[in-house]
C-alpha cells in the first residue's frame, strides 16, 4: 500500500481538493477527519465534524478512541486499498494517524500550497470562517446517516460561491456540530406543514388526520394517518405520496427519514 499525505492548515481547502488529487494520482482511498473513504464510499469511522466540541473533533481526527481506531484499522485491512491519502493539518498530524492505524510510512507528502492558488485558499477560508461550512470528500448520500439533522449540501449547489473551483466531483458540504453558528433544530410543526404542502399538491390524498414524528439516532421516523380519494390505483398513489413526503422532508430539513408509515383510515 502506498501512503500519501495531504498537508495544510485548517480551512485551506484540503478536503475539497482531495477528490481531484486522488483522481489525478489514482489514489484509491482517503482518511479524513476520522472517516475511511474508499472508492467513493464511506467504509468506516465517525466524522470529527459530528463531535460536540473542537477538542472532541481533534481527538476523533487522530483516532484516539480505541474502538474508533480498531474499527477503521480493521476496515483498511479488510478492504486492502492499493493506496491511501491521509489528510492532516501538519506533518506531525499525518504521522500520528499513520502510527495509530498501523499504516506503512508516508511515501509522498503533498502540501496544499503546491496544488492551489492563494485565491482558492481564500475562498476556502471564507466558506469555513464566515459560513461555518466544511467539505467532506464523499457523496452527500453516503453521509446522510451520520449527519441527519445537520445542514449538508452537495458542493455543486454552492457553485456560484466557489467561483473558480469548477471541478466539484463527489464532495459534500456540512456545518459541523461544534459550529459557532449554533445548534440546528426543526420543530414538529415544520415537518407537519411539509406533509400538508405535499398533500395539497396530490390529487389522490384527502385529509391528513395525524402526523407522528419519532426521533431516532440516525434521523426520524414518521407515522401519517390520512384519507385517500377513490382512484383506480390507490396503492400506486399512496406510494407516490409516501416517497414525495420523505424526499421533501430530507431536501428541506436535512433530516434522514429512516421510515415513513402510511395508515389509510378511509377512502372517500
Amino acid at each position: 500500500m502506498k501512503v500519501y499525505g495531504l498537508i495544510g492548515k485548517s480551512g485551506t481547502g484540503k478536503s475539497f481538493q482531495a477528490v481531484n488529487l486522488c483522481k489525478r494520482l489514482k489514489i484509491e482511498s482517503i482518511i479524513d477527519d476520522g472517516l475511511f473513504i474508499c472508492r467513493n464510499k464511506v467504509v468506516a469511522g465517525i466524522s470529527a465534524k459530528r463531535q460536540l466540541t473542537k477538542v472532541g473533533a481533534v481527538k476523533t481526527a487522530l483516532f484516539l478512541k480505541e474502538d474508533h481506531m480498531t474499527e477503521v484499522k480493521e476496515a483498511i485491512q479488510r478492504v486492502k486499498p492499493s493506496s491511501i491519502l491521509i489528510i492532516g493539518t501538519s506533518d506531525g498530524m499525518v504521522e500520528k494517524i499513520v502510527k495509530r492505524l498501523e499504516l506503512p510510512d508516508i511515501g509522498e507528502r503533498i502540501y496544499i500550497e503546491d496544488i492551489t492558488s492563494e485565491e482558492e485558499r481564500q475562498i476556502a477560508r471564507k466558506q469555513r470562517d464566515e459560513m461555518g461550512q466544511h467539505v467532506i470528500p464523499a457523496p452527500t448520500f453516503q453521509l446522510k446517516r451520520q449527519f441527519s439533522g445537520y445542514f449538508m449540501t452537495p458542493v455543486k449547489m454552492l457553485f456560484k460561491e466557489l467561483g473558480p473551483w469548477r471541478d466539484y466531483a463527489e464532495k459534500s458540504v456540512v456545518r459541523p456540530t461544534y459550529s459557532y453558528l449554533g445548534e440546528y433544530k426543526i420543530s414538529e410543526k415544520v415537518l407537519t406543514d411539509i406533509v400538508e404542502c405535499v398533500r395539497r399538491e396530490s390529487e389522490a390524498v384527502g385529509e391528513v388526520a395525524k402526523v407522528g414524528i419519532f426521533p431516532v439516532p440516525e434521523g426520524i421516523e414518521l407515522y401519517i394517518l390520512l384519507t385517500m380519494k377513490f382512484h383506480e390505483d390507490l396503492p400506486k398513489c399512496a406510494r407516490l405520496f409516501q416517497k414525495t413526503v420523505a424526499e421533501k422532508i430530507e431536501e428541506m430539513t436535512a433530516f434522514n427519514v429512516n421510515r415513513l408509515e402510511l395508515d389509510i383510515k378511509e377512502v372517500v
Side-chain angles (χ1 to χ4, degrees):
M1 181 195 302
K2 183 170 183 180
V3 179
Y4 297 79
L6 176 57
I7 301 155
K9 293 180 180 178
S10 179
T12 51
K14 298 184 299 301
S15 296
F16 188 96
Q17 296 293 335
V19 173
N20 299 334
L21 183 64
C22 287
K23 287 182 178 179
R24 180 162 61 84
L25 299 181
K26 297 182 179 179
I27 302 172
E28 193 174 9
S29 57
I30 298 171
I31 293 288
D32 183 29
D33 270 346
L35 293 173
F36 170 45
I37 303 164
C38 186
R39 305 180 192 115
N40 213 31
K41 179 180 180 181
V42 177
V43 180
I46 53 176
S47 176
K49 295 175 175 63
R50 277 302 312 271
Q51 306 311 303
L52 297 177
T53 65
K54 289 187 177 181
V55 172
V58 170
K59 290 181 177 180
T60 299
L62 289 172
F63 300 93
L64 296 184
K65 291 186 177 180
E66 291 298 317
D67 55 346
H68 180 208
M69 176 201 70
T70 301
E71 177 198 353
V72 172
K73 186 166 64 175
E74 290 178 349
I76 294 172
Q77 293 170 352
R78 182 178 67 254
V79 175
K80 295 182 173 61
S82 60
S83 51
I84 191 165
L85 177 69
I86 312 293
I87 301 176
T89 57
S90 66
D91 287 280
M93 180 177 179
V94 294
E95 288 168 2
K96 287 178 181 177
I97 293 172
V98 165
K99 184 176 180 181
R100 288 290 290 171
L101 298 179
E102 297 182 2
L103 296 171
D105 292 338
I106 299 172
E108 183 176 348
R109 296 170 191 255
I110 301 157
Y111 296 90
I112 193 68
E113 292 81 6
D114 297 332
I115 61 173
T116 60
S117 66
E118 177 59 32
E119 181 184 7
E120 289 172 323
R121 295 193 294 278
Q122 285 179 358
I123 292 172
R125 292 188 190 99
K126 179 180 179 180
Q127 293 294 123
R128 176 71 61 90
D129 297 338
E130 296 182 15
M131 303 179 70
Q133 294 174 335
H134 297 229
V135 170
I136 296 178
T140 301
F141 75 89
Q142 282 285 327
L143 302 169
K144 280 175 62 179
R145 290 190 177 278
Q146 288 209 28
F147 282 90
S148 180
Y150 296 85
F151 288 122
M152 182 172 62
T153 313
V155 167
K156 63 184 179 181
M157 295 182 69
L158 299 174
F159 179 75
K160 293 181 180 179
E161 296 174 17
L162 295 170
W165 290 359
R166 301 285 175 174
D167 185 7
Y168 35 75
E170 292 288 354
K171 313 175 186 79
S172 302
V173 175
V174 302
R175 198 191 75 186
T177 310
Y178 56 79
S179 170
Y180 64 86
L181 293 175
E183 189 176 1
Y184 171 56
K185 292 183 178 180
I186 293 289
S187 73
E188 290 191 1
K189 185 179 185 305
V190 171
L191 300 177
T192 302
D193 287 347
I194 294 173
V195 175
E196 181 61 23
C197 286
V198 176
R199 181 202 67 79
R200 290 173 186 170
E201 295 176 358
S202 173
E203 296 180 356
V205 179
E207 294 184 356
V208 174
K210 179 180 180 181
V211 178
I213 300 163
F214 309 97
V216 293
E218 296 177 340
I220 57 173
E221 295 182 354
L222 289 97
Y223 167 81
I224 301 175
L225 179 65
L226 75 165
T227 62
M228 297 285 291
K229 298 176 183 177
F230 180 78
H231 193 279
E232 61 182 13
D233 195 346
L234 278 176
K236 180 179 179 180
C237 293
R239 285 193 296 270
L240 178 60
F241 178 73
Q242 184 181 41
K243 180 175 182 289
T244 304
V245 168
E247 288 176 348
K248 287 296 182 182
I249 287 176
E250 292 188 347
E251 176 186 340
M252 298 176 74
T253 71
F255 279 107
N256 182 38
V257 178
N258 283 12
R259 178 186 175 92
L260 197 163
E261 182 178 335
L262 292 184
D263 188 353
I264 302 173
K265 71 171 186 176
E266 186 180 6
V267 177
V268 296

